[in-house]
Amino acid sequence: MLRLPPFQLHNPTNLDDAAKMLADHGGKARLLAGGTDLLPNMKRRHQSAAALIGLRRVEGLRGIRDSGSGETAIGAMTTLTDIVRSELIHAKYPMLWRAVASISSPVLQSTGTIGGNLCLDTRCTYYNQNEEWRESISFCMKEEGQTCWVAPSSPRCWAISASDSAPVLSAIEAKVKLVSAGDGERIIAVRDLFNDDGIDYLKKRPDEVLTEVILPDPSAFKASHWKLRRRGSIDYSVLTVGAAAWFDGDKVQKLNIHLGAVNSYPAVPEKTCEFLIGKILDEETIAEAAGMSRQGSTPMDNTDFLARWRGQMVERYVSAALREIAGLDPGVKKPRHAM
């Protein structure tokens, strides 16, 4: 049986105390939300902490509320189950509902939170093994070693972004609120929450608490979410596509596409996005644009399935997202979890 290492546990009841505790530990503490990622990682000695600061008892971090101006706010400690059961989310943000419904399994959704999913640790075939396995080949760069076993000559870690909610939230231009004891609160775009680095993957400072996700007025855009994994439950994504388009008449005015499980952050196929500006989303245009999506977003051999096949699926799933936005048959099967 894998056991947790020793640590101090704090359970503050208000946000000010939680932020102060985090600052007082000087980067040696971690926030504990649902714990579905952090605690298993600590058991496998992937992550460590002198102290855990639990957020379950902190008031004001749960719930979904309509602001009345078209925006919707989701508390960071709102469980994935509560989001899936929310009629408001299902009606106003079906693309986000689909993304959240795809995460792990119903059991873990009842504990996991939206804030925790956004801050999910990056993953890699060589990193997400037990400690003895990792030690036998020499620890990788993401832990104690000096080598990235995905690309041994690379000076950086290539572990991939594993969050299923991040691509679609980035695409629709959602925001997050971050709070610290020293600097108060700041609001940034979800897409600006991430670094393209498998180790230093979050721009959230160690002393900040992610408190809220702010969703924009959905009447301004059309959006889609598609996910590829081996099974219809439990398994992590090997590709996630979040896309959103703003229109001027029948022509694309602005387009955002973000790809999960391809790079260390929700990657953007920039040529595809630029190509579609001012164009009508018809079958020929979508096919040409989807063909561009593999450039700059080539998967590496660091997760399930062959990297070359996953690269082919980038084109297929970007096409599916764009076709759904255009009101066309997506051309791939709908995920079972969303039926």
Side-chain angles (χ1 to χ4, degrees):
M1 177 183 292
L2 296 176
R3 297 184 182 276
L4 285 166
F7 59 86
Q8 295 179 347
L9 177 62
H10 304 285
N11 287 300
T13 57
N14 63 74
L15 185 57
D16 288 343
D17 286 348
K20 186 177 184 303
M21 288 176 185
L22 195 57
D24 288 346
H25 279 87
K28 295 183 179 180
R30 292 182 182 271
L31 294 171
L32 177 63
T36 58
D37 186 57
L38 175 60
L39 296 181
N41 279 351
M42 290 181 67
K43 286 182 178 182
R44 293 190 296 262
R45 305 307 189 259
H46 288 130
Q47 294 173 302
S48 61
L52 297 183
I53 300 170
L55 299 178
R56 286 175 180 257
R57 298 180 185 176
V58 175
E59 296 181 0
L61 293 186
R62 297 178 185 270
I64 302 168
R65 58 181 176 82
D66 193 325
S67 68
S69 61
E71 290 187 340
T72 299
I74 306 177
M77 283 296 291
T78 304
T79 66
L80 305 176
T81 294
D82 286 342
I83 294 173
V84 171
R85 291 176 177 173
S86 169
E87 294 183 4
L88 186 151
I89 296 298
H90 193 277
K92 290 183 64 175
Y93 306 95
M95 78 302 292
L96 176 60
W97 180 90
R98 187 191 296 178
V100 173
S102 78
I103 296 171
S104 189
S105 67
V107 172
L108 292 182
Q109 287 175 9
S110 67
T111 303
T113 66
I114 188 65
N117 188 258
L118 276 174
C119 297
L120 206 63
D121 191 20
T122 52
R123 297 184 59 80
C124 175
T125 298
Y126 297 93
Y127 174 68
N128 291 101
Q129 306 289 341
N130 62 47
E131 188 175 26
E132 292 76 17
W133 189 97
R134 301 195 311 277
E135 185 176 17
S136 70
I137 66 166
S138 184
F139 290 120
C140 71
M141 185 184 293
K142 188 167 166 63
E143 193 171 3
E144 300 173 359
Q146 302 297 317
T147 303
C148 173
W149 292 116
V150 175
S153 61
S154 174
R156 56 156 288 182
C157 167
W158 288 95
I160 59 171
S161 174
S163 169
D164 287 310
S165 61
V168 69
L169 288 172
S170 296
I172 67 174
E173 301 188 350
K175 299 175 182 179
V176 290
K177 183 182 293 185
L178 303 170
V179 175
S180 66
D183 298 327
E185 69 177 44
R186 64 184 179 119
I187 296 176
I188 64 171
V190 170
R191 64 173 177 268
D192 294 331
L193 184 62
F194 305 99
N195 285 314
D196 186 13
D197 187 298
I199 299 172
D200 185 23
Y201 61 95
L202 284 179
K203 291 182 181 178
K204 181 182 81 67
R205 300 198 313 263
D207 67 331
E208 288 183 313
V209 183
L210 194 160
T211 63
E212 192 173 62
V213 181
I214 304 166
L215 309 179
D217 183 350
S219 65
F221 58 83
K222 294 182 179 179
S224 179
H225 167 274
W226 286 87
K227 174 178 177 175
L228 174 65
R229 58 180 167 178
R230 186 174 288 273
R231 298 178 294 180
S233 183
I234 300 293
D235 292 345
Y236 281 91
S237 169
V238 295
L239 173 65
T240 303
V241 179
W246 288 253
F247 291 89
D248 182 5
D250 58 356
K251 293 183 178 179
V252 175
Q253 184 180 51
K254 181 171 65 173
L255 179 74
N256 294 331
I257 300 174
H258 290 262
L259 308 176
V262 172
N263 293 82
S264 299
Y265 74 114
V268 179
E270 294 181 359
K271 289 188 176 181
T272 299
C273 297
E274 293 170 0
F275 171 76
L276 287 171
I277 302 301
K279 294 184 172 63
I280 297 173
L281 289 183
D282 56 28
E283 296 204 8
E284 291 183 2
T285 304
I286 290 173
E288 187 173 355
M292 299 177 180
S293 61
R294 291 181 64 181
Q295 300 179 35
S297 57
T298 302
M300 302 185 75
D301 186 21
N302 52 5
T303 189
D304 197 12
F305 293 120
L306 294 174
R308 185 168 65 177
W309 182 81
R310 288 165 55 219
Q312 295 171 354
M313 291 302 103
V314 169
E315 181 176 342
R316 289 282 303 276
Y317 275 65
V318 167
S319 174
L322 294 174
R323 290 175 66 89
E324 184 175 39
I325 288 173
L328 303 171
D329 185 294
V332 296
K333 291 183 178 180
K334 289 186 177 181
R336 284 172 288 174
H337 59 263
M339 295 298 288

